[in-house]
Coordinates of all heavy atoms in Angstrom, one line a residue:
M1 N 0.9 -1.2 0.0 CA 0.0 0.0 0.0 C 0.9 1.2 -0.1 O 1.7 1.4 0.8 CB -0.9 0.0 1.2 CG -1.8 1.1 1.4 SD -3.1 0.7 2.5 CE -4.2 2.0 2.3
E2 N 0.6 2.2 -1.0 CA 1.4 3.3 -1.1 C 0.9 4.5 -0.2 O -0.3 4.6 0.1 CB 1.5 3.7 -2.6 CG 0.2 4.2 -3.1 CD 0.3 4.6 -4.6 OE1 1.2 5.5 -4.8 OE2 -0.5 4.1 -5.3
A3 N 1.8 5.3 0.2 CA 1.3 6.4 1.1 C 0.9 7.6 0.1 O 1.5 7.8 -1.0 CB 2.5 7.0 1.9
P4 N -0.1 8.3 0.5 CA -0.6 9.5 -0.4 C 0.5 10.6 -0.3 O 1.3 10.8 0.6 CB -1.8 9.9 0.3 CG -1.7 9.5 1.6 CD -0.9 8.2 1.7
I5 N 0.6 11.3 -1.5 CA 1.4 12.5 -1.6 C 0.9 13.6 -0.6 O 1.6 14.2 0.0 CB 1.4 13.0 -3.0 CG1 2.1 12.0 -3.9 CG2 2.1 14.3 -3.1 CD1 1.9 12.2 -5.4
T6 N -0.4 13.8 -0.7 CA -1.0 14.7 0.3 C -2.5 14.3 0.6 O -3.1 13.6 -0.3 CB -1.0 16.2 -0.2 OG1 -1.4 17.0 0.9 CG2 -1.9 16.4 -1.4
Q7 N -3.0 14.7 1.6 CA -4.5 14.4 1.9 C -5.0 15.5 2.8 O -4.3 16.2 3.5 CB -4.6 13.0 2.6 CG -4.0 12.8 3.9 CD -4.2 11.4 4.4 OE1 -4.8 10.4 3.6 NE2 -3.8 11.2 5.6
A8 N -6.4 15.7 2.8 CA -7.0 16.7 3.5 C -8.4 16.2 3.8 O -9.0 15.3 3.2 CB -7.1 18.0 2.7
T9 N -9.0 16.8 4.9 CA -10.4 16.5 5.2 C -11.4 17.6 4.9 O -10.9 18.8 4.9 CB -10.5 16.1 6.7 OG1 -10.1 17.3 7.4 CG2 -9.7 15.0 7.0
A10 N -12.5 17.3 4.5 CA -13.6 18.3 4.3 C -14.8 18.1 5.3 O -14.6 17.3 6.3 CB -14.1 18.1 2.9
H11 N -15.9 18.7 5.1 CA -17.0 18.5 5.9 C -17.5 17.0 6.1 O -17.4 16.3 5.1 CB -18.2 19.4 5.4 CG -19.4 19.4 6.2 ND1 -19.4 19.9 7.5 CD2 -20.7 19.0 6.0 CE1 -20.6 19.8 8.0 NE2 -21.4 19.3 7.1
N12 N -18.0 16.7 7.1 CA -18.5 15.3 7.5 C -17.4 14.2 7.3 O -17.7 13.1 6.8 CB -19.7 14.9 6.6 CG -20.9 15.7 7.1 OD1 -21.1 16.1 8.2 ND2 -21.9 15.8 6.1
N13 N -16.2 14.6 7.7 CA -15.0 13.6 7.6 C -14.8 13.0 6.2 O -14.5 11.8 6.1 CB -15.2 12.5 8.6 CG -15.1 13.0 10.1 OD1 -14.4 13.9 10.3 ND2 -15.8 12.4 10.9
T14 N -15.0 13.8 5.2 CA -14.8 13.4 3.9 C -13.3 13.6 3.7 O -12.8 14.7 3.9 CB -15.5 14.2 2.8 OG1 -17.0 14.0 3.1 CG2 -15.3 13.7 1.4
I15 N -12.6 12.6 3.2 CA -11.1 12.7 3.0 C -10.8 12.6 1.6 O -11.2 11.7 0.9 CB -10.5 11.4 3.8 CG1 -10.8 11.5 5.4 CG2 -8.9 11.5 3.6 CD1 -10.4 10.3 6.1
V16 N -9.9 13.4 1.1 CA -9.4 13.4 -0.2 C -8.0 13.1 -0.1 O -7.2 13.7 0.6 CB -9.8 14.7 -1.1 CG1 -9.1 15.9 -0.4 CG2 -9.3 14.6 -2.4
A17 N -7.4 12.2 -0.9 CA -6.0 11.8 -0.9 C -5.6 11.7 -2.4 O -6.2 11.2 -3.2 CB -5.8 10.4 -0.2
V18 N -4.4 12.4 -2.5 CA -3.8 12.4 -3.9 C -2.6 11.4 -3.8 O -1.6 11.5 -3.0 CB -3.3 13.9 -4.2 CG1 -2.7 13.9 -5.5 CG2 -4.4 14.8 -4.0
F19 N -2.7 10.5 -4.8 CA -1.6 9.6 -5.0 C -0.8 9.9 -6.3 O -1.2 10.8 -7.0 CB -2.2 8.1 -5.0 CG -2.8 7.6 -3.7 CD1 -4.0 7.9 -3.4 CD2 -2.0 7.0 -2.8 CE1 -4.6 7.5 -2.2 CE2 -2.5 6.6 -1.6 CZ -3.8 6.8 -1.3
A20 N 0.2 9.1 -6.7 CA 0.9 9.4 -7.8 C 0.2 9.2 -9.1 O 0.4 9.9 -10.1 CB 2.1 8.5 -7.8
D21 N -0.8 8.3 -9.1 CA -1.6 8.0 -10.3 C -3.1 8.2 -10.2 O -3.8 8.1 -11.2 CB -1.2 6.6 -10.9 CG -1.6 5.6 -9.9 OD1 -1.8 6.0 -8.6 OD2 -1.7 4.4 -10.2
H22 N -3.6 8.5 -9.1 CA -5.0 8.7 -8.9 C -5.4 9.5 -7.7 O -4.5 9.8 -6.9 CB -5.7 7.3 -8.8 CG -5.4 6.5 -7.6 ND1 -4.2 5.9 -7.4 CD2 -6.1 6.4 -6.4 CE1 -4.2 5.3 -6.2 NE2 -5.4 5.5 -5.6
V23 N -6.6 9.9 -7.6 CA -7.2 10.7 -6.5 C -8.3 9.9 -5.8 O -9.2 9.3 -6.6 CB -7.7 12.0 -7.0 CG1 -8.4 12.8 -5.9 CG2 -6.7 12.8 -7.6
E24 N -8.3 9.7 -4.5 CA -9.3 9.1 -3.8 C -10.1 9.9 -2.9 O -9.6 10.8 -2.2 CB -8.7 7.9 -2.9 CG -8.3 6.7 -3.6 CD -7.9 5.6 -2.6 OE1 -7.9 5.8 -1.4 OE2 -7.5 4.5 -3.2
V25 N -11.4 9.8 -2.8 CA -12.3 10.5 -2.0 C -13.1 9.6 -1.1 O -13.8 8.7 -1.7 CB -13.4 11.4 -2.9 CG1 -14.3 12.2 -1.8 CG2 -12.6 12.4 -3.8
K26 N -12.8 9.6 0.1 CA -13.5 8.7 1.1 C -14.5 9.4 1.9 O -14.2 10.5 2.4 CB -12.3 8.0 2.0 CG -11.3 7.3 1.2 CD -10.3 6.8 2.3 CE -9.1 6.0 1.5 NZ -8.1 5.5 2.4
S27 N -15.6 8.8 2.1 CA -16.7 9.4 2.9 C -17.4 8.3 3.7 O -17.3 7.1 3.4 CB -17.6 10.2 2.0 OG -18.2 9.4 1.1
G28 N -18.3 8.7 4.5 CA -19.1 7.7 5.2 C -18.6 7.3 6.5 O -17.5 7.7 6.9
W29 N -19.3 6.4 7.2 CA -18.9 5.9 8.4 C -17.6 5.0 8.3 O -17.6 4.1 7.4 CB -19.9 5.0 9.0 CG -19.7 4.4 10.3 CD1 -19.5 3.0 10.4 CD2 -19.4 4.9 11.6 NE1 -19.1 2.7 11.7 CE2 -19.2 3.8 12.5 CE3 -19.5 6.2 12.0 CZ2 -18.9 4.1 13.8 CZ3 -19.3 6.4 13.4 CH2 -19.0 5.4 14.3
Q30 N -16.5 5.4 8.9 CA -15.2 4.8 8.9 C -14.8 4.7 7.4 O -14.1 3.7 7.0 CB -15.3 3.4 9.5 CG -15.6 3.3 10.9 CD -15.7 2.0 11.5 OE1 -15.7 1.0 10.9 NE2 -15.6 2.0 12.9
S31 N -14.9 5.7 6.6 CA -14.5 5.8 5.2 C -15.0 4.6 4.4 O -14.1 4.1 3.6 CB -13.1 6.0 5.2 OG -12.6 7.2 5.9
Q32 N -16.2 4.1 4.6 CA -16.5 3.0 3.8 C -16.9 3.3 2.3 O -16.8 2.4 1.5 CB -17.8 2.4 4.5 CG -19.0 3.2 4.5 CD -20.2 2.7 5.3 OE1 -20.0 1.8 6.0 NE2 -21.3 3.3 5.2
N33 N -17.2 4.6 2.0 CA -17.4 4.9 0.5 C -16.2 5.3 0.0 O -15.8 6.5 0.4 CB -18.6 5.8 0.5 CG -19.8 5.4 1.2 OD1 -20.1 4.2 1.1 ND2 -20.5 6.3 1.8
V34 N -15.6 4.7 -1.0 CA -14.3 5.1 -1.6 C -14.6 5.4 -3.1 O -15.1 4.5 -3.7 CB -13.2 4.1 -1.4 CG1 -12.0 4.6 -2.1 CG2 -13.0 3.9 0.0
E35 N -14.3 6.5 -3.6 CA -14.4 6.7 -5.1 C -12.9 7.1 -5.5 O -12.2 7.9 -4.9 CB -15.3 8.0 -5.3 CG -16.6 7.8 -5.0 CD -17.5 9.0 -5.2 OE1 -17.6 9.3 -6.4 OE2 -18.1 9.6 -4.3
S36 N -12.5 6.6 -6.5 CA -11.2 6.7 -7.1 C -11.2 7.2 -8.6 O -12.0 6.7 -9.2 CB -10.3 5.4 -7.0 OG -9.0 5.5 -7.5
F37 N -10.5 8.2 -8.8 CA -10.4 8.8 -10.2 C -8.9 8.8 -10.6 O -8.0 9.2 -9.9 CB -10.9 10.3 -10.1 CG -12.3 10.4 -9.6 CD1 -12.5 10.9 -8.3 CD2 -13.3 10.1 -10.4 CE1 -13.7 11.1 -7.9 CE2 -14.6 10.2 -9.9 CZ -14.9 10.7 -8.7
G38 N -8.7 8.3 -11.8 CA -7.4 8.4 -12.4 C -7.0 9.9 -12.7 O -7.9 10.7 -12.9
L39 N -5.8 10.2 -12.8 CA -5.4 11.5 -13.1 C -5.9 12.0 -14.5 O -6.2 13.1 -14.7 CB -3.8 11.8 -13.0 CG -3.3 11.7 -11.6 CD1 -1.8 11.9 -11.7 CD2 -3.8 12.9 -10.8
K40 N -6.0 11.0 -15.4 CA -6.6 11.3 -16.7 C -8.0 11.7 -16.7 O -8.5 12.3 -17.6 CB -6.4 10.2 -17.6 CG -4.9 9.8 -18.0 CD -4.9 8.8 -18.9 CE -3.4 8.4 -19.3 NZ -3.2 7.3 -20.2
Q41 N -8.7 11.3 -15.7 CA -10.1 11.5 -15.5 C -10.4 12.9 -14.9 O -11.6 13.5 -15.1 CB -10.8 10.4 -14.8 CG -10.9 9.1 -15.4 CD -11.5 8.1 -14.5 OE1 -11.4 8.1 -13.3 NE2 -12.2 7.1 -15.1
V42 N -9.4 13.5 -14.2 CA -9.7 14.7 -13.5 C -9.4 15.8 -14.6 O -8.4 15.9 -15.1 CB -8.8 14.9 -12.4 CG1 -8.9 16.2 -11.6 CG2 -9.0 13.8 -11.3
A43 N -10.5 16.6 -14.9 CA -10.4 17.6 -15.8 C -10.0 19.0 -15.2 O -9.1 19.5 -15.7 CB -11.8 17.9 -16.6
T44 N -10.6 19.4 -14.2 CA -10.3 20.6 -13.5 C -10.3 20.5 -12.0 O -11.1 19.7 -11.5 CB -11.4 21.8 -13.9 OG1 -12.6 21.4 -13.5 CG2 -11.2 22.1 -15.4
V45 N -9.5 21.4 -11.3 CA -9.6 21.5 -9.9 C -9.6 23.0 -9.6 O -8.8 23.8 -10.1 CB -8.2 20.9 -9.3 CG1 -8.2 20.9 -7.8 CG2 -8.0 19.4 -9.8
A46 N -10.5 23.3 -8.7 CA -10.6 24.7 -8.4 C -10.9 24.9 -6.9 O -11.5 24.0 -6.3 CB -11.9 25.3 -9.1
V47 N -10.4 26.0 -6.4 CA -10.6 26.3 -5.0 C -11.3 27.7 -4.8 O -10.9 28.7 -5.5 CB -9.3 26.4 -4.2 CG1 -9.4 26.9 -2.7 CG2 -8.5 25.0 -4.2
R48 N -12.3 27.8 -3.9 CA -13.1 28.9 -3.7 C -13.1 29.2 -2.2 O -13.3 28.2 -1.5 CB -14.5 28.9 -4.2 CG -14.7 29.1 -5.6 CD -16.1 29.2 -6.1 NE -16.9 28.5 -5.0 CZ -18.2 28.4 -4.8 NH1 -18.9 29.1 -5.8 NH2 -18.8 27.8 -3.9
G49 N -13.1 30.4 -1.8 CA -13.3 30.7 -0.4 C -12.1 31.2 0.4 O -11.0 30.7 0.1
L50 N -12.3 32.0 1.4 CA -11.3 32.5 2.2 C -11.1 31.9 3.6 O -10.0 31.7 4.1 CB -11.2 34.0 2.3 CG -11.1 34.7 0.9 CD1 -11.3 36.3 1.2 CD2 -9.7 34.5 0.3
V51 N -12.3 31.6 4.1 CA -12.4 31.1 5.6 C -12.6 29.6 5.5 O -11.8 28.7 6.0 CB -13.4 31.8 6.4 CG1 -13.5 31.2 7.8 CG2 -13.1 33.3 6.5
N52 N -13.7 29.2 4.9 CA -14.0 27.8 4.7 C -13.9 27.5 3.2 O -14.8 27.9 2.4 CB -15.4 27.4 5.2 CG -15.4 27.4 6.7 OD1 -14.4 27.0 7.3 ND2 -16.6 27.8 7.2
A53 N -12.9 26.9 2.6 CA -12.7 26.7 1.2 C -13.6 25.6 0.7 O -14.0 24.6 1.5 CB -11.3 26.5 1.0
T54 N -13.9 25.7 -0.6 CA -14.6 24.6 -1.3 C -13.7 24.2 -2.4 O -13.3 24.9 -3.3 CB -15.8 25.1 -1.9 OG1 -16.8 25.5 -0.8 CG2 -16.6 24.0 -2.6
L55 N -13.4 22.9 -2.4 CA -12.5 22.3 -3.5 C -13.4 21.6 -4.4 O -14.3 20.8 -4.0 CB -11.6 21.3 -2.8 CG -10.6 20.6 -3.8 CD1 -9.6 21.5 -4.3 CD2 -9.9 19.3 -3.2
T56 N -13.4 21.9 -5.7 CA -14.2 21.4 -6.7 C -13.3 20.5 -7.6 O -12.4 21.0 -8.3 CB -15.0 22.4 -7.5 OG1 -15.7 23.2 -6.6 CG2 -15.9 21.8 -8.5
L57 N -13.7 19.3 -7.7 CA -13.0 18.3 -8.7 C -14.1 18.0 -9.8 O -15.1 17.5 -9.5 CB -12.6 17.1 -8.0 CG -11.5 17.1 -6.9 CD1 -11.4 15.7 -6.3 CD2 -10.2 17.5 -7.5
E58 N -13.7 18.3 -11.0 CA -14.5 17.9 -12.1 C -13.9 16.9 -13.0 O -12.8 17.0 -13.3 CB -14.9 19.2 -12.9 CG -15.9 19.0 -14.0 CD -16.4 20.2 -14.7 OE1 -16.1 21.3 -14.1 OE2 -16.9 20.1 -15.8
T59 N -14.7 15.9 -13.3 CA -14.1 14.9 -14.2 C -14.4 15.0 -15.6 O -15.3 15.8 -16.0 CB -14.7 13.4 -13.7 OG1 -16.1 13.4 -14.0 CG2 -14.3 13.2 -12.3
N60 N -13.9 14.2 -16.5 CA -14.1 14.3 -17.9 C -15.5 14.0 -18.3 O -16.0 14.4 -19.3 CB -13.1 13.4 -18.8 CG -11.7 13.9 -18.6 OD1 -11.5 15.0 -18.4 ND2 -10.7 13.0 -18.8
T61 N -16.2 13.2 -17.4 CA -17.5 12.8 -17.7 C -18.5 13.8 -17.3 O -19.7 13.6 -17.5 CB -17.9 11.5 -16.9 OG1 -17.7 11.7 -15.6 CG2 -17.0 10.3 -17.4
G62 N -18.0 14.9 -16.7 CA -19.0 16.1 -16.4 C -19.3 16.0 -14.9 O -20.1 16.8 -14.4
R63 N -19.0 15.0 -14.2 CA -19.3 14.9 -12.8 C -18.4 15.9 -12.0 O -17.2 16.0 -12.1 CB -19.0 13.5 -12.3 CG -19.3 13.4 -10.8 CD -19.6 12.0 -10.4 NE -20.0 12.1 -9.0 CZ -19.5 11.2 -8.2 NH1 -18.7 10.3 -8.4 NH2 -20.0 11.2 -6.9
A64 N -19.1 16.7 -11.0 CA -18.4 17.6 -10.3 C -18.6 17.3 -8.8 O -19.7 17.2 -8.3 CB -18.9 19.0 -10.5
L65 N -17.5 17.1 -8.0 CA -17.5 16.8 -6.6 C -17.1 18.1 -5.9 O -16.1 18.6 -6.2 CB -16.5 15.7 -6.3 CG -16.8 14.4 -6.6 CD1 -15.5 13.4 -6.5 CD2 -17.9 13.8 -5.8
Q66 N -18.0 18.5 -5.0 CA -17.6 19.7 -4.2 C -17.4 19.3 -2.8 O -18.1 18.7 -2.1 CB -18.7 20.7 -4.2 CG -18.9 21.4 -5.6 CD -19.8 22.6 -5.6 OE1 -20.7 22.7 -4.6 NE2 -19.7 23.5 -6.4
L67 N -16.2 19.5 -2.4 CA -15.7 19.2 -1.0 C -15.7 20.5 -0.1 O -14.8 21.4 -0.4 CB -14.3 18.6 -1.0 CG -14.3 17.4 -1.8 CD1 -12.8 16.9 -2.0 CD2 -15.1 16.2 -1.2
N68 N -16.8 20.7 0.7 CA -17.0 22.0 1.4 C -16.3 22.0 2.7 O -16.0 21.0 3.3 CB -18.6 22.1 1.6 CG -19.3 22.2 0.4 OD1 -18.9 22.8 -0.6 ND2 -20.4 21.5 0.3
R69 N -16.2 23.2 3.2 CA -15.6 23.5 4.5 C -14.3 22.9 4.8 O -14.1 22.3 5.8 CB -16.7 23.1 5.6 CG -17.9 24.0 5.5 CD -19.1 23.5 6.3 NE -18.7 23.4 7.7 CZ -19.6 22.9 8.6 NH1 -20.8 22.7 8.2 NH2 -19.3 22.9 9.9
M70 N -13.3 23.1 3.9 CA -12.0 22.7 4.1 C -11.2 23.8 4.5 O -11.5 25.0 4.3 CB -11.4 22.1 2.8 CG -12.0 20.9 2.2 SD -11.2 20.4 0.7 CE -9.7 19.8 1.3
A71 N -10.1 23.6 5.1 CA -9.2 24.6 5.5 C -8.5 25.0 4.2 O -8.0 24.3 3.5 CB -8.1 24.0 6.5
P72 N -8.4 26.4 4.1 CA -7.8 27.0 2.7 C -6.5 26.4 2.5 O -6.1 26.1 1.3 CB -7.9 28.4 3.0 CG -9.0 28.6 3.9 CD -9.0 27.5 4.8
P73 N -5.5 26.3 3.4 CA -4.2 25.7 3.0 C -4.2 24.3 2.6 O -3.5 23.9 1.7 CB -3.4 25.9 4.3 CG -4.1 26.9 5.2 CD -5.5 26.9 4.8
D74 N -5.1 23.5 3.2 CA -5.3 22.2 2.7 C -5.9 22.0 1.4 O -5.4 21.2 0.6 CB -6.2 21.4 3.7 CG -5.6 21.2 5.0 OD1 -4.3 21.4 5.2 OD2 -6.4 20.8 6.0
A75 N -6.9 22.9 1.0 CA -7.5 22.8 -0.3 C -6.5 23.2 -1.4 O -6.3 22.6 -2.4 CB -8.7 23.7 -0.3
R76 N -5.6 24.3 -1.1 CA -4.7 24.7 -2.0 C -3.5 23.7 -2.2 O -3.1 23.4 -3.3 CB -4.0 26.1 -1.6 CG -5.0 27.3 -1.8 CD -4.3 28.5 -1.5 NE -3.7 28.7 -0.3 CZ -4.3 29.3 0.8 NH1 -5.5 29.8 0.7 NH2 -3.7 29.4 2.0
R77 N -3.2 23.0 -1.1 CA -2.1 21.9 -1.2 C -2.7 20.7 -2.0 O -1.9 20.3 -2.9 CB -1.8 21.5 0.3 CG -0.6 20.6 0.2 CD -0.1 20.2 1.7 NE -1.3 19.5 2.4 CZ -1.7 19.9 3.5 NH1 -1.3 21.0 4.2 NH2 -2.7 19.3 4.2
V78 N -3.8 20.4 -1.9 CA -4.4 19.3 -2.6 C -4.5 19.7 -4.2 O -4.1 18.9 -5.0 CB -5.9 18.9 -2.3 CG1 -6.6 18.0 -3.2 CG2 -5.8 18.2 -0.9
K79 N -4.9 21.0 -4.4 CA -4.9 21.4 -5.9 C -3.5 21.5 -6.5 O -3.4 21.0 -7.6 CB -5.5 22.8 -5.9 CG -5.6 23.4 -7.2 CD -6.2 24.8 -7.3 CE -6.1 25.3 -8.8 NZ -6.2 26.7 -9.0
R80 N -2.6 21.9 -5.7 CA -1.2 22.0 -6.2 C -0.6 20.5 -6.5 O 0.1 20.3 -7.4 CB -0.2 22.7 -5.3 CG -0.3 24.2 -5.4 CD 0.8 24.8 -4.6 NE 1.0 24.4 -3.3 CZ 0.5 24.9 -2.2 NH1 -0.2 26.1 -2.4 NH2 0.7 24.5 -1.0
A81 N -0.9 19.7 -5.6 CA -0.5 18.3 -5.7 C -1.1 17.6 -7.0 O -0.4 16.9 -7.8 CB -0.8 17.4 -4.5
I82 N -2.4 17.8 -7.2 CA -3.0 17.2 -8.4 C -2.5 17.8 -9.7 O -2.1 17.1 -10.6 CB -4.5 17.4 -8.4 CG1 -5.1 16.6 -7.3 CG2 -5.2 17.0 -9.7 CD1 -6.7 16.9 -7.0
E83 N -2.3 19.1 -9.7 CA -1.7 19.7 -10.8 C -0.2 19.4 -11.0 O 0.2 19.2 -12.3 CB -1.8 21.3 -10.7 CG -3.2 21.8 -10.8 CD -3.4 23.3 -10.5 OE1 -2.4 23.9 -10.0 OE2 -4.4 23.9 -10.8
A84 N 0.5 19.1 -10.0 CA 2.0 18.7 -10.2 C 2.0 17.3 -10.7 O 2.9 17.0 -11.5 CB 2.7 18.9 -8.9
Q85 N 1.1 16.4 -10.3 CA 1.2 15.1 -10.7 C 0.7 15.0 -12.2 O 1.2 14.2 -12.9 CB 0.3 14.1 -9.9 CG 0.9 14.0 -8.4 CD 2.2 13.3 -8.6 OE1 2.5 12.5 -9.3 NE2 3.1 14.0 -7.8
K86 N -0.2 15.8 -12.6 CA -0.7 15.8 -14.0 C 0.4 16.4 -14.8 O 0.6 15.8 -15.9 CB -1.9 16.6 -14.1 CG -3.2 16.0 -13.6 CD -4.4 16.8 -13.8 CE -4.9 16.9 -15.1 NZ -5.7 15.8 -15.7
R87 N 1.2 17.3 -14.3 CA 2.2 17.9 -15.0 C 3.4 16.8 -15.3 O 4.0 16.8 -16.4 CB 2.8 19.1 -14.4 CG 3.5 20.1 -15.3 CD 3.7 21.5 -14.7 NE 3.7 21.7 -13.3 CZ 2.6 22.2 -12.5 NH1 1.6 22.6 -13.2 NH2 2.7 22.3 -11.3
L88 N 3.6 16.1 -14.1 CA 4.8 15.2 -14.2 C 4.3 14.0 -15.2 O 5.2 13.5 -15.9 CB 4.9 14.4 -12.8 CG 5.8 15.2 -11.9 CD1 5.9 14.7 -10.5 CD2 7.2 15.4 -12.4
A89 N 3.0 13.6 -15.2 CA 2.6 12.5 -16.1 C 2.4 13.0 -17.6 O 2.2 12.2 -18.4 CB 1.3 12.0 -15.5
G90 N 2.6 14.3 -17.8 CA 2.5 14.9 -19.2 C 1.0 14.9 -19.6 O 0.7 14.9 -20.9
L91 N 0.1 15.1 -18.7 CA -1.3 15.2 -19.1 C -1.8 16.5 -19.5 O -3.0 16.6 -19.9 CB -2.2 14.5 -18.0 CG -1.9 13.1 -17.7 CD1 -2.7 12.6 -16.5 CD2 -2.1 12.1 -18.8
Y92 N -1.0 17.5 -19.2 CA -1.4 18.9 -19.6 C -0.9 19.2 -21.0 O 0.2 18.8 -21.3 CB -0.9 20.0 -18.7 CG -1.7 20.1 -17.5 CD1 -1.0 20.4 -16.1 CD2 -3.0 20.1 -17.4 CE1 -1.8 20.5 -15.0 CE2 -3.8 20.3 -16.3 CZ -3.2 20.5 -15.1 OH -3.9 20.7 -14.0
D93 N -1.7 19.7 -21.8 CA -1.1 20.1 -23.2 C -0.4 21.4 -23.2 O -0.7 22.3 -22.5 CB -2.4 20.1 -24.1 CG -2.9 18.7 -24.3 OD1 -2.2 17.8 -24.2 OD2 -4.1 18.7 -24.6

C-alpha cells in the first residue's frame, strides 16, 4: 500500500487523498465509501473561499465533486499536488 502524496479533510469527515496516479475521495462511516479517479479523468480542480474553502473536482464525464468547509491551506495543497502530478505525467497540453 502506497502512502498518499497529500491528503485533507472536508465537511463530514470526507477525506481526499492524492496519490501518484489517482485521487481517492473517502466518505461515510469509517470511510466505507471510496471513489477513485485516475489523473486522466480529472479535468479541472478549483478552490473557492477564504475562511472555509470549497474544493471542486470535475471529471471528464462532467461529474463535479464539491468538498465543502476545508481549511484553505489544505485545499490549495491538494490542488497543487493534483496539478503537479498531472504535469509530471504529461497530461497537460
Side-chain angles (χ1 to χ4, degrees):
M1 184 164 181
E2 64 180 309
I5 295 170
T6 188
Q7 64 183 6
T9 58
H11 184 61
N12 286 337
N13 291 329
T14 303
I15 301 169
V16 60
V18 179
F19 293 90
D21 59 343
H22 67 283
V23 178
E24 283 185 359
V25 179
K26 299 177 185 179
S27 62
W29 175 252
Q30 296 180 344
S31 299
Q32 65 189 9
N33 304 323
V34 178
E35 297 181 63
S36 182
F37 303 104
L39 287 178
K40 290 182 180 180
Q41 293 177 328
V42 178
T44 60
V45 182
V47 177
R48 282 186 336 170
L50 297 174
V51 177
N52 288 323
T54 299
L55 179 73
T56 304
L57 295 172
E58 188 173 342
T59 64
N60 291 336
T61 59
R63 181 161 185 225
L65 287 168
Q66 288 193 340
L67 304 169
N68 298 317
R69 294 170 56 181
M70 292 182 73
D74 291 346
R76 287 191 299 266
R77 187 173 62 236
V78 168
K79 180 181 181 205
R80 277 194 310 266
I82 291 172
E83 290 173 347
Q85 290 304 313
K86 286 178 75 77
R87 204 170 17 258
L88 278 174
L91 298 175
Y92 278 141
D93 293 332

